[in-house]
Amino acid sequence: GARPAETADEKPAEPPAPCDDGPIEPQIEGMTPKRGLPAGCDPFDNIVMLTDSYKVTHHLQYPPGTETIYSYFECRGGAYEEVCFFGLQYFIKTYLVGRRVTQEGIDAAEAYFKEHFSHPKYGYNDKLFNRKAWEYIVDVHDGRLPISIKAVPEGTVLPYKNVLFTMENTDKECYWLTNYLETLLVQVWYPTTVCTQSREQKKVIERYLKETGTPDVIENGLHLFKLHDFGFRGVSSVES
């Protein structure tokens, strides 16, 4: 039914702040709280934290005057001479598109890195986390990542040792960002590997259909339904 009209005394509830101050309390008895991480911040949805920890300090190691980092991804070899590229669009749309960097996310990341990098004797070096560079992305780019990605169309089959996609920064102040994102995008190898193996399995099915005298199955397109995949129920996550 229709909702009743709001009265003068009834106000819509304010949405919770993205990251309220205070530590996250343990959700299960006996668990250790995530100390130093502001409540409400999901580290798996914070692009500032989705990298190898050693990459957090890489901004200190680039030669002075660096403005552009251009990186490429390729399949260097493996069990098959061809690779079927798949999965990049999912990671781009899930993790990279839109306003991905926020002040709250920067604060949460810094709180975590301070604890992660602190030494029991020497303490923490404030230079390790590139806070000003992330705040630059918030201030200048409204939290959107200044990068350009070019790729072969998903589903393309090509010999290994070929470039599958490239990535580079579009703002010279963010040269460090290109390889910061490498950690996340390397996960494209998982769906690409699954896709490549599935294609090879279909080729085996088709070969034996021909050798066993059932070409009509192929002619009628039924060979496309001979590979039944129940892998979804046996993996560790939806992404897997």
Side-chain angles (χ1 to χ4, degrees), residues 20-170:
D20 298 323
D21 292 332
I24 291 179
E25 297 298 326
Q27 301 299 309
I28 301 176
E29 185 177 357
M31 287 182 62
T32 302
K34 298 177 181 177
R35 295 148 64 97
L37 184 63
C41 288
D42 181 1
F44 297 105
D45 192 34
N46 185 352
I47 194 65
V48 186
M49 300 179 69
L50 296 182
T51 194
D52 300 313
S53 60
Y54 77 116
K55 285 185 178 293
V56 175
T57 68
H58 276 189
H59 66 99
L60 299 172
Q61 303 175 45
Y62 286 102
T66 301
E67 295 184 353
T68 302
I69 298 294
Y70 183 89
S71 296
Y72 71 92
F73 290 69
E74 68 166 321
C75 175
R76 297 174 178 172
Y80 310 112
E81 294 186 357
E82 294 180 325
V83 58
C84 188
F85 180 61
F86 177 73
L88 176 63
Q89 289 297 311
Y90 167 81
F91 286 95
I92 290 177
K93 293 176 181 178
T94 302
Y95 296 103
L96 304 182
V97 171
R99 188 170 179 263
R100 305 305 305 176
V101 186
T102 64
Q103 191 64 52
E104 294 81 9
I106 296 172
D107 293 340
E110 183 175 48
Y112 174 80
F113 291 138
K114 279 185 176 180
E115 186 164 331
H116 177 60
F117 288 117
S118 289
H119 189 277
K121 181 178 180 180
Y122 302 106
Y124 174 75
N125 187 337
D126 288 325
K127 294 181 180 179
L128 296 180
F129 176 54
N130 200 7
R131 180 184 180 93
K132 289 184 178 180
W134 287 107
E135 291 180 331
Y136 173 87
I137 294 177
V138 172
D139 296 337
V140 176
H141 297 285
D142 192 32
R144 291 169 170 78
L145 301 171
I147 56 170
S148 173
I149 297 176
K150 300 177 183 179
V152 299
E154 298 211 21
T156 297
V157 176
L158 70 168
Y160 62 70
K161 296 185 179 180
N162 277 285
V163 175
L164 299 173
F165 68 94
T166 66
M167 178 168 55
E168 65 178 315
N169 57 290
T170 58

Side-chain angles (χ1 to χ4, degrees), residues 137-203:
I137 294 177
V138 172
D139 296 337
V140 176
H141 297 285
D142 192 32
R144 291 169 170 78
L145 301 171
I147 56 170
S148 173
I149 297 176
K150 300 177 183 179
V152 299
E154 298 211 21
T156 297
V157 176
L158 70 168
Y160 62 70
K161 296 185 179 180
N162 277 285
V163 175
L164 299 173
F165 68 94
T166 66
M167 178 168 55
E168 65 178 315
N169 57 290
T170 58
D171 183 329
K172 66 180 182 179
E173 299 295 330
C174 299
Y175 58 88
W176 54 270
L177 181 61
T178 303
N179 285 341
Y180 198 97
L181 300 175
E182 175 203 12
T183 303
L184 175 66
L185 292 180
V186 163
Q187 294 187 20
V188 174
W189 292 129
Y190 188 96
T192 294
T193 298
V194 172
C195 192
T196 298
Q197 290 184 344
S198 296
R199 177 175 178 268
E200 293 296 328
Q201 292 164 10
K202 284 191 173 185
K203 287 163 64 176

